[in-house]
Amino acid sequence: MPEQIIEGGCTCRAVRYRMIGKPLFVHCCHCRWCQRETGASFALNAMIEADRVELTNGDVVVIDTPSNSGKGQKISRCPTCQVALWSNYAGAGDSVKFVRVGTLDDPDRVPPDIHIFTSSKQPWVVLAPDVPAVPEYYSRSKYWPTESIERQRKLVR
Ligand SMILES: [Zn+2]
Ligand SMILES: [Zn+2]
């Protein structure tokens, strides 16, 4: 089966990219930091190997931004309209991009694999019972599919 390719980009269309293959895992994060950054109720991030995200038009600016962990994150934004396209966190380093699912042209194809930090979930958000949900963070070995753990293992830190 050919790998799925989903295109995405910013609002002004100066930056366009494509995500090649299935994400390793998709986080729906309900932490207060993600709520503030999105101006909404949660962030939806598809974790994928950095080399599986290819720019097809334009380039991004990388903005150092504080993060919940205290170790910081680098947010890649369109230099023109400033929409955030993906982040790199200190934990996974440059080898894994956290693609903001809402910037994909077809975000419906990338639903969450887990809800995290539900301890600060906004009370009106009702979660589907068939998707795992944890009050804070989780153990990768417990939730990730074997295939994703193996892909992740191959990454050079
Ligand atoms: Zn733009
Ligand atoms: Zn968060």
Side-chain angles (χ1 to χ4, degrees), residues 73-99:
Q73 61 173 319
K74 293 187 229 168
I75 303 184
S76 293
R77 295 178 176 275
C78 168
T80 307
C81 72
Q82 300 288 321
V83 163
L85 300 155
W86 55 77
S87 298
N88 291 88
Y89 288 91
D94 290 335
S95 60
V96 176
K97 286 189 165 96
F98 287 64
V99 174

Side-chain angles (χ1 to χ4, degrees), residues 1-5 20-22 109:
M1 211 174 79
E3 296 221 87
Q4 75 170 15
I5 294 177
I20 300 155
K22 265 172 62 88
R109 287 165 69 188

Side-chain angles (χ1 to χ4, degrees), residues 32-97:
R32 295 295 187 201
W33 291 68
C34 286
Q35 292 177 16
R36 185 169 51 237
E37 279 169 32
T38 57
S41 307
F42 51 77
L44 193 55
N45 291 315
M47 303 173 67
I48 192 160
E49 294 94 330
D51 62 1
R52 286 172 175 265
V53 178
E54 290 179 353
L55 279 166
T56 54
N57 194 60
D59 205 352
V60 293
V61 288
V62 179
I63 309 290
D64 282 314
T65 309
S67 73
N68 195 5
S69 72
K71 293 177 190 156
Q73 61 173 319
K74 293 187 229 168
I75 303 184
S76 293
R77 295 178 176 275
C78 168
T80 307
C81 72
Q82 300 288 321
V83 163
L85 300 155
W86 55 77
S87 298
N88 291 88
Y89 288 91
D94 290 335
S95 60
V96 176
K97 286 189 165 96

Side-chain angles (χ1 to χ4, degrees), residues 1 5 9 15 50 61 67 79 92 107 122-125 139:
M1 211 174 79
I5 294 177
V15 179
V61 288
S67 73
Q122 292 175 16
W124 61 268
V125 176
S139 155

Side-chain angles (χ1 to χ4, degrees), residues 10-14 78 81:
C10 66
T11 298
C12 78
R13 298 186 73 83
C78 168
C81 72

